[in-house]
Amino acid sequence: MIMAKRFLSAFLAASLLFTGSMQAVQAAMIGTEQVAESTISAKGAQDRAKIVDMLSRDEVQSELVKRGIDPVEAKSRVAALTDDEASNMASQLDKAPAGAGIIGAIVLVFFVLLLTDILGFTKIFPFTRSVR
C-alpha cells in the first residue's frame, strides 16, 4: 500500500512538473483552395496547360467527338490528373511525331478516361462497368 502511494505521488509530481512545459496549440480550418494550391506544382500546371492546349485544337476536338468523348469533359479530366500523370502524358505528347502524335494523344486520353470510368471515378462511357 505504501509502495502504491509513493508511485502515485511520484507520478502526480512528474505530471505536474511537465504541465508547465506544454505549448499552446492553435488549429484552424484549411480551405480546399489552400490545399489545392499547395499540391499543384508549377511543373504540373505547365504540363496540364500543354495538354489542354493540345486538346483545344480543332482537329483534336473533332477526333474526340468522333470517338464519343466530350472535349469539355476531357479537359476537366486533365485538370484532375496528378502531377506525375500530367508530366507523363506531356512527355509522351512531346515525343510523338507530328500528325501521328495527335491520334496517339487522342488514344492516350481515351484510355485515361476509360481507366477512370472502370475505376469508378467518372461515368463518361455507357459501355463500362465500375469495379466499385
Side-chain angles (χ1 to χ4, degrees), residues 46-105:
Q46 290 173 351
D47 291 336
R48 284 182 192 80
K50 185 186 297 185
I51 296 168
V52 168
D53 286 342
M54 188 273 308
L55 289 175
S56 297
R57 296 180 186 168
D58 292 334
E59 62 271 7
V60 173
Q61 287 189 357
S62 66
E63 283 294 321
L64 287 173
V65 170
K66 283 182 189 176
R67 297 178 189 272
I69 301 170
D70 182 24
V72 175
E73 181 67 29
K75 289 178 185 177
S76 68
R77 290 301 305 149
V78 168
L81 292 174
T82 65
D83 288 344
D84 292 335
E85 292 169 337
S87 175
N88 187 12
M89 185 179 281
S91 69
Q92 288 180 0
L93 289 175
D94 288 341
K95 292 176 185 175
I102 292 174
I103 301 299

Side-chain angles (χ1 to χ4, degrees), residues 6-131:
R6 282 187 184 175
F7 177 73
L8 182 60
S9 62
F11 177 74
L12 288 175
S15 63
L16 287 175
L17 180 69
F18 290 118
T19 57
S21 65
M22 293 176 64
Q23 296 178 352
V25 177
Q26 293 180 341
M29 294 296 291
I30 299 175
T32 306
E33 294 84 17
Q34 288 176 321
V35 174
E37 288 173 3
S38 66
T39 57
I40 297 176
S41 69
K43 175 77 170 118
Q46 290 173 351
D47 291 336
R48 284 182 192 80
K50 185 186 297 185
I51 296 168
V52 168
D53 286 342
M54 188 273 308
L55 289 175
S56 297
R57 296 180 186 168
D58 292 334
E59 62 271 7
V60 173
Q61 287 189 357
S62 66
E63 283 294 321
L64 287 173
V65 170
K66 283 182 189 176
R67 297 178 189 272
I69 301 170
D70 182 24
V72 175
E73 181 67 29
K75 289 178 185 177
S76 68
R77 290 301 305 149
V78 168
L81 292 174
T82 65
D83 288 344
D84 292 335
E85 292 169 337
S87 175
N88 187 12
M89 185 179 281
S91 69
Q92 288 180 0
L93 289 175
D94 288 341
K95 292 176 185 175
I102 292 174
I103 301 299
I106 291 171
V107 171
L108 178 67
V109 169
F110 173 75
F111 282 122
V112 168
L113 294 173
L114 182 67
L115 181 66
T116 57
D117 258 13
I118 292 170
L119 293 176
F121 297 124
T122 61
K123 187 62 182 156
I124 298 171
F125 304 113
F127 57 85
T128 61
R129 290 189 191 170
S130 175
V131 294

